Amino acid sequence: MRYFSTRDKTISISSSEAIIQGISKDGGLFVPETIPKIDNLMELTKMDYRKLAYFIMSKFFTDFEPTLLKEAIKDAYGQKFSLKDIVSIEKVQDRYLLELFHGPTYAFKDMALSILPRLLRIALKINDIDKEIVILTATSGDTGKAALEGFANVEGIKIVVFFPEKGVSQIQKLQMITQEGENTFVVGIDGNFDEAQNGVKRIFNDREFKEVLDKYGYILSSANSINIGRLVPQIVYYFYGYLDLLKQGELEDGEKINIVVPTGNFGNILAAYYGKKMGLPVNKLICASNENNVLTDFINTGVYDRRRELKLTSSPSMDILISSNLERLLFYILNEDDIAVKDKMERLNKNGFYKIKNINIEDFYGDYSTEDEVTKTIKDVFVHYNYLMDPHTAVAYNVYDKYKLKTKDNTKTIIASTASPFKFGKKIADSIGLNTLGKDEFQILRKLGDKTEIKIPEGISSLKDKAIKHNNYCSKKEMKSMLKKFLKVGEIYD
Ligand SMILES: *Cc1c(COP(=O)(O)O)cnc(C)c1O
């Protein structure tokens, strides 16, 4: 299987090369030249998570030796997850919540970032690269910690994370700045996520700087969801969720489902779209946004317009105006016309918007939730169904309510539940009516645990006593110089 760039199909590389490069040198994203098909789902119900993961990933990562890929999967989806089945499905009201947050950092990002470092190491071996890899990542909160956790102390790799100092939850920030491991580097910036992501993209596109890094024995790669090594592992759990419902008799063979995904960078929902293209029986993919509703507008009008103020909401991992992975969907809805994709992306960059005439994205439905709706949803679902949701999942839950009301569609529905509510303690406590006045984050969490009778995850309660390892802060213009400092690159270090 070869991969080509969404902006230039003449660029064609292997899966291991695509994982190493992260993003194509023309700025495009790598997509597989064909999408493998899976039929006879019933036969797959016997597989556990790892077997299914191998079954799916081996169709995409064709230059990986089977034993090595199996080993990587076994290591990634093991002890670090608190559930033997890796994910779980909870039925709440009339819908199925696919809980993807039982990994080491309590967000769905673990589903892919626990395996990406292992894929990358194999990829380096396949390509005989003996340089040191520098993973450069911008995070809206959850990717940063999941990547740090995955890459910490991995030999031959350094990891650098930039996060918006004011744009993440208190727990998310603590998770990152207490990260151990000599090869980790965490920096808060005085900007929002889009600015952090742009800064990282600028560094990636800086050829001169890349040559300097090369001289020092470094190559850059990305742990952001643009990396195909993140996208493919995310396809697995949509199949797994479907198969699990099939096994339980909740679905009949071939019965279609809707999938609702709280969306920011469009990585998670894109994986579900790939699942559909591969043969998963999906009716609608419901794209749920918060008040930063660029995607809602795009799906409903065909106009993508980032010229608006970024709002900070209680679902920070979705506070995004430039949704990177949408470029891959664009590639498909423009009938794989690379020139047209390039044109749209250049327009977005230059003018801040683009328009697709006669847009046809029947596979998708898009809507969003306001902050008040999120608060009310968290409360109502807790009170009526005794289920506690994080704010991202609540966005999806609420958008699905609206979808049902509007369309009267009764197709069974899976909602991706993307984070533990305890990562967002204050918002959750406030929503269900606990008094948080004058209390610190950990007092709030304790109160929340008492009230809901849910155990606070160990990795979150233990943050209280952890030493702060990273105390770096810079403006968005200084990102490159921070990186140079960390890597000891540049004249002053020669
Ligand atoms: C990253 C994240 C999302 C958004 O996922 P995308 O793949 O960026 O669309 C939603 N919820 C949580 C908790 C996240 O961490």
Side-chain angles (χ1 to χ4, degrees):
M1 167 97 69
R2 307 289 293 178
Y3 289 79
F4 42 54
S5 165
T6 46
R7 298 185 198 180
D8 181 357
K9 286 200 274 189
T10 64
I11 296 178
S12 167
I13 62 176
S14 68
S15 63
S16 62
E17 289 170 310
I19 288 172
I20 294 169
Q21 289 183 29
I23 188 167
S24 177
K25 57 179 184 288
D26 60 347
L29 307 188
F30 292 114
V31 284
E33 61 178 10
T34 55
I35 294 181
K37 293 278 185 290
I38 293 181
D39 43 24
N40 236 331
L41 287 178
M42 212 57 188
E43 271 174 28
L44 307 182
T45 54
K46 291 182 217 81
M47 292 184 178
D48 65 9
Y49 195 89
R50 296 178 194 179
K51 284 225 171 73
L52 185 69
Y54 178 75
F55 181 76
I56 290 172
M57 288 188 213
S58 61
K59 293 183 185 299
F60 287 93
F61 303 144
T62 48
D63 59 335
F64 283 61
E65 207 183 294
T67 50
L68 291 182
L69 183 56
K70 277 183 190 155
E71 213 171 286
I73 289 169
K74 194 168 144 240
D75 289 347
Y77 303 110
Q79 299 296 316
K80 284 197 162 186
F81 283 78
S82 61
L83 300 177
K84 206 176 108 275
D85 289 344
I86 308 302
V87 299
S88 85
I89 296 190
E90 304 294 324
K91 186 161 189 193
V92 181
Q93 205 176 348
D94 55 352
R95 55 206 81 176
Y96 304 95
L97 274 83
L98 178 61
E99 292 187 348
L100 305 172
F101 56 80
H102 297 289
T105 76
Y106 314 105
F108 95 91
K109 303 294 197 292
D110 288 326
M111 299 305 299
L113 282 164
S114 51
I115 192 160
L116 182 65
R118 292 169 170 88
L119 296 175
L120 189 56
R121 286 205 56 168
I122 301 170
L124 292 173
K125 221 181 266 166
I126 295 172
N127 293 281
D128 256 332
I129 292 174
D130 59 359
K131 289 211 159 37
E132 188 157 15
I133 295 278
V134 180
I135 301 288
L136 198 56
T137 295
T139 183
S140 54
D142 291 323
T143 292
K145 178 58 184 179
L148 287 163
E149 192 65 34
F151 285 101
N153 300 317
V154 175
E155 212 180 297
I157 298 179
K158 282 187 165 42
I159 162 123
V160 181
V161 170
F162 291 99
F163 73 92
E165 179 77 27
K166 293 193 187 70
V168 301
S169 85
Q170 185 63 20
I171 293 292
Q172 286 177 317
K173 180 174 168 182
L174 276 175
Q175 280 186 307
M176 289 189 275
I177 63 176
T178 57
Q179 178 67 47
E180 292 169 13
E182 284 299 309
N183 65 334
T184 65
F185 189 55
V186 178
V187 187
I189 72 157
D190 77 335
N192 60 38
F193 170 71
D194 283 322
E195 287 162 334
Q197 182 161 259
N198 278 337
V200 163
K201 280 184 188 162
R202 253 198 316 278
I203 295 173
F204 269 106
N205 293 330
D206 186 337
R207 281 203 192 154
E208 221 171 282
F209 183 52
K210 273 191 171 163
E211 275 165 29
V212 175
L213 288 177
D214 188 69
K215 206 178 78 191
Y216 283 82
Y218 291 122
I219 45 176
L220 290 179
S221 186
S222 158
N224 277 99
S225 61
I226 48 176
N227 195 313
I228 196 80
R230 258 187 76 179
L231 191 59
V232 172
Q234 292 178 177
I235 299 171
V236 177
Y237 47 76
Y238 289 111
F239 276 94
Y240 191 80
Y242 185 89
L243 293 169
D244 196 54
L245 292 176
L246 208 55
K247 223 167 19 188
Q248 290 178 36
E250 299 279 335
L251 291 175
E252 297 191 17
D253 195 9
E255 185 175 346
K256 284 192 174 176
I257 50 160
N258 297 321
I259 300 177
V260 193
V261 186
T263 296
N265 229 352
F266 211 77
N268 201 5
I269 196 167
L270 187 76
Y273 177 68
Y274 273 95
K276 180 170 187 179
K277 280 180 161 289
M278 291 169 74
L280 191 68
V282 176
N283 176 42
K284 283 281 177 198
L285 294 160
I286 300 170
C287 176
S289 300
N290 64 23
E291 289 177 9
N292 297 295
N293 56 356
V294 266
L295 289 168
T296 309
D297 291 347
F298 176 68
I299 289 169
N300 290 305
T301 67
V303 178
Y304 192 97
D305 191 346
R306 67 163 165 82
R307 296 170 301 173
R308 56 184 94 186
E309 198 70 33
L310 185 90
K311 294 180 186 157
L312 296 185
T313 72
S314 63
S315 44
S317 301
M318 293 152 66
D319 290 344
I320 292 173
L321 293 179
I322 303 166
S323 190
S324 297
N325 268 297
L326 189 69
E327 178 167 345
R328 287 193 170 105
L329 177 66
L330 210 54
F331 180 75
Y332 295 111
I333 59 182
L334 292 172
N335 299 315
E336 310 201 359
D337 181 345
D338 51 350
I339 310 292
V341 174
K342 186 169 188 261
D343 173 62
K344 299 297 174 201
M345 289 301 121
E346 279 171 1
R347 281 168 196 271
L348 180 63
N349 193 23
K350 215 165 84 204
N351 310 328
F353 75 103
Y354 61 80
K355 185 173 164 59
I356 309 287
K357 279 202 201 92
N358 305 321
I359 189 166
N360 177 12
I361 31 177
E362 292 239 301
D363 290 322
F364 288 84
Y365 181 91
D367 204 350
Y368 76 102
S369 293
T370 65
E371 203 54 46
D372 286 345
E373 287 170 329
V374 171
T375 308
K376 189 169 180 309
T377 303
I378 292 169
K379 178 176 183 184
D380 287 351
V381 174
F382 178 65
V383 170
H384 296 300
Y385 306 102
N386 198 27
Y387 186 79
L388 199 65
M389 277 183 303
D390 95 284
H392 303 76
T393 309
V395 166
Y397 201 101
N398 175 249
V399 163
Y400 179 61
D401 282 337
K402 294 186 196 175
Y403 168 82
K404 254 193 112 167
L405 209 61
K406 212 178 216 163
T407 63
K408 310 276 186 282
D409 175 19
N410 274 323
T411 306
K412 287 176 191 149
T413 296
I414 287 179
I415 296 179
S417 178
T418 49
S420 161
F422 291 98
K423 281 191 105 162
F424 308 93
K426 182 164 185 328
K427 171 71 185 178
I428 306 300
D430 287 339
S431 299
I432 67 170
L434 302 180
N435 182 3
T436 59
L437 209 69
K439 301 205 166 46
D440 74 25
E441 191 68 26
F442 294 96
Q443 291 168 323
I444 293 172
L445 285 178
R446 202 164 333 116
K447 222 172 154 175
L448 192 58
D450 290 345
K451 168 81 182 174
T452 60
E453 294 176 5
I454 304 173
K455 195 175 173 304
I456 306 169
E458 161 63 24
I460 289 178
S461 53
S462 66
L463 285 173
K464 187 166 178 273
D465 305 313
K466 278 210 159 157
I468 302 218
K469 300 278 184 188
H470 305 271
N471 195 5
N472 307 302
Y473 182 75
C474 74
S475 74
K476 41 190 188 275
K477 290 205 185 72
E478 294 165 329
M479 288 168 65
K480 189 161 117 185
S481 51
M482 284 305 268
L483 181 62
K484 280 167 128 175
K485 204 168 100 185
F486 174 57
L487 298 175
K488 301 196 168 46
V489 160
E491 305 84 62
I492 62 164
Y493 300 103
D494 286 338

